[in-house]
């Protein structure tokens, strides 16, 4: 298995979602550090930016998932 513990026929979108989760954890850690160093307002700002980027990522993944079956459809 070339991609961690994913099954052999795993969809490529799964890898993108895993990367998004790891990046998400980094933003939460950044918010915790911002809270400790600068206060609640900056931590909240970091989390709002994270949520906006996460929504953008999910939209892109959904568009990719919808486009892949069309791109890989058998051609006659």
């Amino acid at each position: 298995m070339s991609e961690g513990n994913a099954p052999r026929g795993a969809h490529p979108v799964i890898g993108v979602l895993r990367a998004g989760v790891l990046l998400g954890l980094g933003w939460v850690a950044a918010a915790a550090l911002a809270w400790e160093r600068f206060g609640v307002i900056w931590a909240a700002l970091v989390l709002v930016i994270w949520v906006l980027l996460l929504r953008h990522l999910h939209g892109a993944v959904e568009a990719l998932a919808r486009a892949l079956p069309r791109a890989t459809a058998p051609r006659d």
Side-chain angles (χ1 to χ4, degrees):
M1 289 190 232
S2 63
E3 200 174 319
N5 57 359
R8 222 171 250 189
H11 202 276
V13 173
I14 299 297
V16 174
L17 290 174
R18 284 183 181 161
V21 168
L22 289 176
L23 289 172
L25 290 174
W27 279 92
V28 172
L33 290 172
W35 186 344
E36 182 179 316
R37 184 83 166 123
F38 302 111
V40 174
I41 305 269
W42 286 103
L45 180 64
V46 168
L47 287 177
V48 166
I49 292 170
W50 171 60
V51 167
L52 293 174
L53 289 173
L54 194 60
R55 287 189 67 204
H56 184 68
L57 171 72
H58 281 216
V61 168
E62 184 179 354
L64 175 65
R66 290 179 191 271
L68 280 176
R70 286 187 298 239
T72 59
R75 297 188 177 126
D76 295 327

